[in-house]
Amino acid sequence: MGPWFRLAAIGGFLCVGFGAFAAHGITDPKAQEWLKTGALYGFVHMLAVFAAAQRFGRGAALAPPLFLAGLVLFSGSLWAMGLGAPRWLGAITPLGGLAFMAGWAALAWSRPKA
C-alpha cells in the first residue's frame, strides 16, 4: 500500500486546503464553486484509494492510480480555474471524471481479498 497511502494522504491534504480556501479566501462565487467541487470529488476519491489499497484484491490494483489521475485531471483543473487559470483548462475536467469512473469500474469487477 506504500506509495498509494502517501499519495492519497497528499491528495487529502490538498482537498482540505482548497476547500478551506474556497470558504475563506475567495469571493467570486464561480471560483468558490470550482474549488469546492474539486475538493469534494477529490476527497471522496482519496478515501477510496485508502479502501481500495487495503480491502480489495485481484483486479482492484488499477483503482488507486485511476483515482489519483482523476484527482489531478478533474480536481486539479477545477482548482486551477478557481485560481484564475484560463477556462479552456475545463476541457481536461471530463478526462478526470472518466478516470474516476474507470477506478470505480475496476473495483466493481475486482474480487475481494479472502
Side-chain angles (χ1 to χ4, degrees):
M1 183 167 121
W4 302 131
F5 180 85
R6 290 189 193 282
L7 291 170
I10 292 166
F13 175 89
L14 291 171
C15 292
V16 172
F18 279 110
F21 189 60
H24 305 291
I26 295 284
T27 57
D28 175 40
K30 191 64 175 173
Q32 285 178 330
E33 182 182 332
W34 285 330
L35 293 171
K36 287 180 181 180
T37 299
L40 174 63
Y41 276 70
F43 193 64
V44 167
H45 288 89
M46 292 308 94
L47 292 175
V49 170
F50 288 121
Q54 290 182 356
R55 308 290 279 166
F56 291 90
R58 207 162 101 183
L62 286 176
L66 287 166
F67 289 149
L68 289 161
L71 176 75
V72 171
L73 298 171
F74 182 89
S75 298
S77 63
L78 291 176
W79 293 337
M81 289 190 310
L83 296 175
R87 286 199 177 193
W88 63 261
L89 201 57
I92 295 170
T93 308
L95 298 175
L98 289 173
F100 284 151
M101 292 170 68
W104 288 112
L107 289 181
W109 280 283
S110 69
R111 295 172 55 181
K113 286 183 180 177

